[in-house]
């Protein structure tokens, strides 16, 4: 007979505990020693006892795919914010900072994993650069990535965005796939035999699905489906009908890209749970997707449930259906947002060689049928429109056709120009050093002068988000690699609010900076603009602005 009187450090009593293995709610006690759950039931006593007073208790939430850089926050501030929302583990792909800083960017995130209470588990960036046609600080080949395999905090290979490279048996791509057993995919709109070939290559998941039948096919063919709810990538309502008792072990939640303001106002994985329930998902399935499903996908057998042998990561809810997090516990200790010391944000100097272009360099010369990038509200995909224009008439505010300018941060001579519709700006300009995945400097505006002024401010700060109107300018400096702010998340939220006040007054679409940040992303159909001009994703090549050129 074991003497239980001193067997536990803490016994949590009288909780209504969610069991994701059976999807039951069980009123029971559970005991924690050295941060690990050692047992459940009434037999345990501990040095400390905590009465949960019939509160709902659920395992800590896991984000299956996120880029912390996209929050605009340092890892420290990101952790301080999302842990208040019940998140205890994130699966992070640091390819944003790796594009601009190389391995120094990966090392920066690994240090965060080693220091912070939030478990930041790393998927090694598989596509730096995103494609052979893109720019970055350095190429992360299989030889560069292989020393990371087996290191603490490294889980697997991050999203394989170079779909053409996979399907064409590109040796550079295929050298990376065997590096690890856990491999994330990235397969927007991929179906049929091409999807078969992509899966057969060893890629296991997708977070880019935005069509119901596409998601169904991917589940049927054995992929893990990460249902994404970011700022502009809002796919959850479309895909949640696919989450059933039979499929829930293959379905997870991910946020991918959320700015700090959305994290503050809407939340993190708790927001995904709320919306899933609102859209008709059974609460038990939603809570399983947010915990055990993600843990099992990444072979994290030490978490995802409140059961013996697992880390005591859990949160207390005051409302089940609204997923209102009252408290978050990490290894059995209640998390306070100000209880740990900030992490040093030092990082090796990242290349930043951008220069302000001249008016002549951003002119659009000619007339005829032009390729116009049409943004899609609520999605990061774009469509190509073919419109009669004259270069001298751009911007055409009546038709909402604006000029987009991309300035290389790596090669000062490279400056690209394109046309975009859907931002809605009636005056002013916006510019940013966040431009997935190369993170060149990108701007749109209602005049060349406003575009150049906005670009000038971004370049002066070596990274920033800038909004200009006829009378005002607001700037959020991004001092960490031109991607993240060193400010507390409360300050970043306030500055984002100020930026949006200006863009709202200028008539812009909601969250215009997030749409701007994806305007140059060459791995998402259908048409983009880079430092080399207009890029047709389907043709996988640069094309002229005018179709008859």
């Amino acid at each position: 007979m074991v003497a239980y009187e001193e067997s536990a450090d803490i016994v949590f009593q009288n909780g209504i505990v969610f069991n994701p293995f059976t999807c039951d709610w069980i009123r029971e006690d559970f005991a924690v020693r050295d941060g690990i759950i050692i047992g459940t039931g009434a037999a345990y006593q501990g040095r400390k006892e905590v009465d949960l007073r019939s509160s709902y208790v659920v395992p800590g939430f896991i984000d299956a795919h996120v880029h912390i850089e996209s929050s605009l926050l340092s890892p420290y501030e990101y952790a301080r914010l999302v842990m208040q929302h019940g998140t205890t583990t994130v699966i992070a792909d640091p390819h944003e900072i790796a594009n601009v800083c190389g391995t120094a960017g990966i090392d920066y995130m690994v240090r965060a994993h080693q220091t912070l209470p939030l478990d930041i588990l790393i998927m090694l960036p598989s596509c730096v650069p995103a494609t052979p046609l893109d720019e970055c600080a350095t190429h992360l080949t299989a030889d560069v990535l292989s020393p990371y395999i087996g290191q603490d905090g490294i889980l697997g290979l991050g999203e394989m965005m170079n779909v053409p490279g996979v399907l064409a048996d590109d040796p550079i791509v295929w050298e990376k796939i065997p590096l690890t057993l856990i491999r994330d995919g990235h397969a927007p709109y991929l179906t049929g035999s091409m999807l078969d070939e992509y899966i057969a290559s060893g890629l296991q998941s997708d977070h880019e699905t935005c069509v119901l039948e596409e998601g169904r096919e991917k589940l049927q063919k054995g992929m893990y489906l990460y249902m994404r709810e970011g700022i502009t990538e809002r796919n959850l309502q479309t895909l949640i009908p696919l989450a059933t008792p039979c499929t829930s072990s293959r379905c997870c939640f991910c946020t991918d890209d959320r700015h700090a303001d959305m994290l503050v106002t809407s939340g993190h994985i708790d927001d995904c749970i709320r919306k899933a329930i609102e859209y008709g998902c059974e609460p038990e399935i939603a809570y399983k997707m947010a915990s055990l499903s993600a843990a099992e996908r990444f072979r994290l057998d030490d978490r995802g449930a409140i059961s013996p042998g697992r880390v005591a990561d859990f949160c207390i809810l005051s409302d089940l259906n609204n997923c209102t997090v009252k408290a978050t516990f990490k290894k059995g200790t209640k998390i306070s947002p100000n209880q740990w010391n900030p992490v040093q944000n030092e990082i090796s100097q990242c290349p930043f060689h951008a220069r302000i272009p001249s008016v002549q360099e951003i002119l659009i010369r000619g007339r005829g049928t032009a390729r116009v990038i049409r943004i899609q509200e609520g999605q990061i995909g774009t469509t190509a429109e073919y419109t009669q224009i004259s270069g001298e008439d751009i911007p055409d505010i009546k038709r909402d056709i604006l000029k987009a300018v991309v300035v290389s941060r790596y090669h000062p001579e490279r400056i690209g120009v394109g046309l975009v519709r859907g931002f809605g700006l009636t005056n002013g300009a916006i510019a940013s050093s966040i431009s997935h995945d190369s993170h060149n400097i990108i701007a749109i505006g209602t005049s060349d002068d406003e575009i150049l002024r906005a670009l000038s401010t971004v370049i002066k700060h070596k990274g920033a988000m800038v909004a200009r109107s006829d009378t005002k300018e607001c700037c959020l400096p991004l001092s960490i690699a031109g991607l993240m702010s060193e400010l507390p998340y409360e300050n970043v939220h306030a500055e984002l609010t100020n930026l949006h006040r200006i863009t709202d007054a200028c008539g812009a679409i909601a969250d215009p900076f997030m749409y701007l940040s994806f305007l140059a992303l060459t791995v998402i159909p259908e048409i983009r603009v880079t430092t080399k001009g207009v890029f047709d994703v389907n043709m996988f090549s640069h094309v002229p602005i005018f179709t008859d050129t």
Side-chain angles (χ1 to χ4, degrees):
M1 179 70 67
V2 177
Y4 290 119
E5 286 75 7
E6 296 298 328
S7 63
D9 298 326
I10 309 174
V11 175
F12 294 89
Q13 301 173 327
N14 301 317
I16 303 174
V17 180
F18 176 60
N19 185 323
F21 299 112
T22 59
C23 287
D24 293 328
W25 297 90
I26 306 169
R27 183 183 292 275
E28 66 178 356
D29 302 346
F30 57 96
V32 176
R33 183 173 62 215
D34 297 330
I36 304 296
I37 296 167
I38 60 171
T40 61
Y44 293 88
Q45 293 182 355
R47 298 181 183 89
K48 180 180 179 182
E49 295 177 349
V50 177
D51 188 351
L52 298 177
R53 302 179 181 276
S54 298
S55 295
Y56 291 104
V57 187
V58 296
F61 304 143
I62 301 173
D63 190 331
H65 175 75
V66 66
H67 306 289
I68 291 174
E69 305 95 309
S70 292
S71 70
L72 310 177
L73 302 172
S74 70
Y76 165 77
E77 287 296 319
Y78 178 84
R80 193 166 72 89
L81 176 51
V82 301
M83 293 195 82
Q84 296 176 60
H85 291 276
T87 300
T88 53
T89 302
V90 297
I91 314 301
D93 182 342
H95 75 214
E96 314 295 359
I97 197 166
N99 265 280
V100 300
C101 299
T103 55
I106 301 176
D107 296 340
Y108 174 77
M109 289 298 180
V110 170
R111 289 198 298 274
H113 159 76
Q114 295 167 343
T115 310
L116 295 171
L118 175 70
D119 278 332
I120 299 174
L121 303 178
I122 305 297
M123 298 291 281
L124 292 171
S126 66
C127 297
V128 176
T131 75
L133 301 178
D134 283 289
E135 301 171 338
C136 64
T138 186
H139 287 224
L140 297 185
T141 63
D143 288 341
V144 174
L145 295 175
S146 59
Y148 287 96
I149 304 302
Q151 287 189 24
D152 178 47
I154 304 296
L155 275 188
L157 190 68
E159 54 179 312
M160 177 51 74
M161 298 180 289
N162 190 354
V163 175
V166 174
L167 302 183
D169 295 331
D170 184 330
I172 295 175
V173 171
W174 278 81
E175 286 172 358
K176 297 176 185 176
I177 294 175
L179 287 176
T180 72
L181 296 176
I182 298 175
R183 313 173 192 107
D184 270 350
H186 170 111
Y189 306 112
L190 204 61
T191 62
S193 60
M194 287 193 295
L195 177 61
D196 294 345
E197 188 175 350
Y198 187 78
I199 295 171
S201 74
L203 298 164
Q204 302 155 340
S205 66
D206 185 65
H207 64 278
E208 292 290 346
T209 302
C210 57
V211 178
L212 183 69
E213 287 308 312
E214 177 190 349
R216 192 186 311 279
E217 180 183 1
K218 288 171 178 173
L219 283 173
Q220 289 171 342
K221 291 182 174 179
M223 294 192 96
Y224 291 92
L225 192 64
Y226 305 161
M227 298 186 184
R228 177 175 60 181
E229 192 74 1
I231 289 187
T232 55
E233 322 101 302
R234 302 197 175 193
N235 311 130
L236 188 54
Q237 186 169 12
T238 297
L239 299 179
I240 200 63
L242 295 173
T244 69
C246 291
T247 65
S248 61
S249 63
R250 311 291 291 187
C251 298
C252 312
F253 294 119
C254 81
T255 59
D256 203 0
D257 301 288
R258 284 194 179 205
H259 283 168
D261 53 348
M262 186 177 186
L263 292 171
V264 170
T265 58
S266 298
H268 190 228
I269 297 300
D270 59 328
D271 179 50
C272 296
I273 295 169
R274 278 191 292 275
K275 287 178 177 172
I277 295 171
E278 177 188 343
Y279 300 148
C281 183
E282 291 295 324
E284 291 76 16
I285 289 178
Y287 284 107
K288 178 179 178 179
M289 289 169 58
S291 55
L292 183 65
S293 296
E296 291 186 336
R297 183 278 175 271
F298 292 101
R299 306 183 184 184
L300 298 172
D301 297 330
D302 64 341
R303 67 196 68 202
I306 299 170
S307 66
R310 301 201 179 217
V311 177
D313 291 357
F314 59 92
C315 45
I316 310 299
L317 307 180
S318 58
D319 186 291
L320 176 63
N321 289 331
N322 287 324
C323 191
T324 306
V325 177
K326 185 164 60 174
T328 303
F329 288 77
K330 182 67 181 169
K331 296 183 178 179
T333 300
K334 185 177 180 180
I335 291 296
S336 168
N338 300 307
Q339 75 180 50
W340 66 86
N341 295 322
V343 176
Q344 291 297 316
N345 289 319
E346 295 178 1
I347 187 169
S348 301
Q349 181 65 37
C350 296
F352 199 96
H353 306 303
R355 66 172 176 85
I356 305 166
S358 67
V359 172
Q360 293 299 315
E361 287 176 300
I362 65 170
L363 286 180
I364 295 177
R365 296 176 174 86
R367 62 176 61 233
T369 303
R371 295 176 172 90
V372 178
I373 304 165
R374 175 72 188 202
I375 64 173
Q376 302 180 69
E377 192 165 359
Q379 302 294 338
I380 60 173
T382 64
T383 56
E385 293 186 346
Y386 298 89
T387 307
Q388 290 292 315
I389 70 154
S390 172
E392 62 190 21
D393 294 333
I394 298 299
D396 187 335
I397 295 173
K398 288 184 179 179
R399 292 194 291 173
D400 188 23
I401 300 176
L402 303 179
K403 184 180 294 184
V405 176
V406 186
V407 176
S408 175
R409 75 153 77 192
Y410 311 98
H411 307 284
E413 73 280 3
R414 295 182 185 173
I415 296 164
V417 181
L419 298 169
V420 63
R421 172 181 278 165
F423 276 94
L425 280 179
T426 56
N427 70 87
I430 61 174
S432 178
S433 54
I434 299 172
S435 177
H436 305 286
D437 285 323
S438 294
H439 297 293
N440 292 307
I441 318 307
I442 189 165
I444 62 163
T446 57
S447 73
D448 288 353
D449 180 65
E450 293 285 6
I451 288 173
L452 294 176
R453 287 176 181 271
L455 287 170
S456 175
T457 302
V458 173
I459 292 170
K460 179 180 73 173
H461 287 281
K462 293 189 175 181
M465 296 169 64
V466 174
R468 290 185 54 83
S469 69
D470 292 336
T471 59
K472 296 179 181 178
E473 179 178 282
C474 180
C475 173
L476 171 61
L478 302 172
S479 55
I480 306 174
L483 300 176
M484 297 171 281
S485 171
E486 293 183 275
L487 295 173
Y489 77 75
E490 296 91 343
N491 297 61
V492 175
H493 178 211
E495 289 304 314
L496 286 170
T497 300
N498 292 334
L499 287 166
H500 289 149
R501 284 197 185 104
I502 292 180
T503 58
D504 289 347
C506 293
I509 190 173
D511 298 306
F513 283 98
M514 191 60 87
Y515 292 97
L516 183 69
S517 72
F518 287 108
L519 206 57
L521 183 56
T522 57
V523 295
I524 299 287
E526 179 175 38
I527 185 171
R528 305 285 161 173
V529 59
T530 77
T531 59
K532 301 172 186 176
V534 180
F535 185 82
D536 186 311
V537 180
N538 297 325
M539 295 173 60
F540 209 65
S541 66
H542 286 90
V543 294
I545 289 180
F546 293 101
T547 60
D548 51 359
T549 301

